[in-house]
Amino acid sequence: MSRPYNFSAGPAMLPEAVLERARDEMLDWHGSGMCVAEMSHRGKEFLSIAQQAEADLRELLAVPDNYKVLFLQGGASLQFAMAPMNLLRGADKAGRKADYLSTGSWSKKAIAEAKRFGAVNIAASTEQDGTFTRAPAQAELNLSADAAYLHYTPNETIQGVEFPYVPEASVPLVADMSSTILSRPIDVSRYGVIYAGAQKNVGPAGLTIVIVREDLIGQPIDGTPAMLDYKIHADNDSMYNTPPTYAWYLAGLVFQWLKDLGGLGAMAEINQRKAGKLYAAIDGSGFYANPVQPDCRSWMNVPFTLADANLDAGFLAGAKAAGLLTLKGHRSVGGMRASIYNAMPEAGVDALIEFMAEFERTKG
Ligand SMILES: *Cc1c(COP(=O)(O)O)cnc(C)c1O
């Protein structure tokens, strides 16, 4: 029995091999007699799972030794607050400052949250008539000399806008990689902090990955709760309190799946091919359209509209019947959105392209 292809933006598909392995280990993990969800987070079984997952993630991303890898909760949305609370410098709010790039819905939320803790300089905004269709060029960035950090969103999940480059700044770079982490190799040393909710490209919801350079932690702003202090989580190996153990385990299975596949270089080739053929199908039709500037198009989230929005409901119903799920676009953008993260097989993208062509031929 083959499963349908799920194009959800998140929580999103997981690799079938990972789900099968979790199923096989569900009642008895490696002869322990326990499901991973039943284990003490301080027991040797779970510690071995946790350490292996961290080691595999470090290997996949080639994380340098002077970076901490944290397995937290609260989603990327909590990182919108934790990053400023830990990185802003200055005794009072008026003296604290950070630079932000405003490129879509998620960066706007990060900006709104940072404003609670200090001054935000919008170093660039690509908002035009309420929409975002590109990333700013490096030359457009109006960076301030006294910012504690520069925050940006490499992939805007809702608009399908991706930076084709890593911004240069003299201050630490903070990146919300929720919808792009592990989609390709990156140079971690270019960043001060990388964070990502797991539910797009890593694993199930409930786990948040944070990769932070050691020298940036340990100076949170006054009043920061222990649970929001990177240093406390780092000093306790992400076990200051009970971590999301089952989500951590599933993420670990995803890391092993990526390694078996050949690592992030191999994954990047597949992702680029998947995205390339979907954009080619959209551009090659007179019926479908994607508004994003071609060099800023996301590999992961592909929004597209139909020539006639009255056909949207019929498109979605037909897609569902063909085993292509969750293609409805975000309510703020409309139309369709196909999220094609690592776990989406190339055959799923091929099936979508075939369905789109057939729909255009018969209904367009
Ligand atoms: C989904 C998403 C978020 C929000 O993540 P939560 O884990 O739900 O808080 C933030 N940023 C980006 C880029 C996202 O894709």
Side-chain angles (χ1 to χ4, degrees), residues 121-150:
N121 170 48
I122 307 295
S125 169
T126 51
E127 185 163 11
Q128 231 178 352
D129 307 323
T131 66
F132 297 87
T133 54
R134 66 182 189 93
Q138 175 75 41
E140 289 176 71
L141 309 187
N142 199 356
L143 303 175
S144 29
D146 55 348
Y149 60 87
L150 168 63

Side-chain angles (χ1 to χ4, degrees), residues 96-117:
R96 305 179 191 128
K97 187 174 185 186
D99 282 349
Y100 275 72
L101 306 185
S102 180
T103 54
S105 304
W106 288 117
S107 51
K108 280 179 86 168
K109 282 201 158 176
I111 288 164
E113 197 69 353
K115 283 180 175 169
R116 295 172 184 271
F117 307 103

Side-chain angles (χ1 to χ4, degrees), residues 75-77 80 106 153 155 157 176 178-179 197 199-200:
S77 299
F80 295 165
W106 288 117
T153 309
N155 185 65
T157 319
D176 173 4
S178 294
S179 50
Q199 69 274 20
K200 274 97 187 213

Side-chain angles (χ1 to χ4, degrees), residues 46-240:
F46 186 74
L47 287 180
S48 75
I49 290 169
Q51 286 159 7
Q52 188 64 52
E54 179 176 340
D56 288 340
L57 180 58
R58 283 183 174 276
E59 184 183 327
L60 284 165
L61 285 170
V63 179
D65 288 343
N66 62 325
Y67 284 74
K68 298 291 189 187
V69 175
L70 307 178
F71 292 81
L72 307 181
Q73 305 188 53
S77 299
L78 186 56
Q79 294 309 310
F80 295 165
M82 270 177 90
M85 291 177 95
N86 284 269
L87 269 61
L88 285 174
R89 301 288 180 251
D92 53 17
K93 190 177 162 184
R96 305 179 191 128
K97 187 174 185 186
D99 282 349
Y100 275 72
L101 306 185
S102 180
T103 54
S105 304
W106 288 117
S107 51
K108 280 179 86 168
K109 282 201 158 176
I111 288 164
E113 197 69 353
K115 283 180 175 169
R116 295 172 184 271
F117 307 103
V120 169
N121 170 48
I122 307 295
S125 169
T126 51
E127 185 163 11
Q128 231 178 352
D129 307 323
T131 66
F132 297 87
T133 54
R134 66 182 189 93
Q138 175 75 41
E140 289 176 71
L141 309 187
N142 199 356
L143 303 175
S144 29
D146 55 348
Y149 60 87
L150 168 63
H151 179 285
Y152 86 118
T153 309
N155 185 65
E156 288 281 1
T157 319
I158 292 174
Q159 283 77 19
V161 172
E162 189 170 294
F163 276 75
Y165 70 102
V166 179
E168 295 275 1
S170 57
V171 296
L173 192 55
V174 177
D176 173 4
M177 290 203 188
S178 294
S179 50
T180 182
I181 192 168
L182 298 176
S183 65
R184 74 205 73 182
I186 54 169
D187 178 358
V188 173
S189 72
R190 302 274 308 265
Y191 302 88
V193 181
I194 292 168
Y195 63 83
Q199 69 274 20
K200 274 97 187 213
N201 217 11
V202 175
L207 171 70
T208 311
I209 304 280
V210 175
I211 302 172
V212 56
R213 216 175 67 206
E214 265 168 10
D215 61 287
L216 296 174
I217 65 177
Q219 307 158 67
I221 62 176
D222 272 357
T224 298
M227 277 295 289
L228 303 186
D229 183 340
Y230 288 144
K231 179 83 161 49
I232 288 184
H233 287 293
D235 288 349
N236 289 277
D237 296 325
S238 304
M239 296 198 192
Y240 174 71

Side-chain angles (χ1 to χ4, degrees), residues 9 34 41 52 90 114 118-119 124 134 137 147 160 169 208 210 220 223 233 245 265 269 297 301 312 329 348:
M34 290 180 279
H41 58 297
Q52 188 64 52
R134 66 182 189 93
T208 311
V210 175
H233 287 293
T245 50
E269 266 182 47
R297 285 172 164 181
N301 311 96
D312 285 0

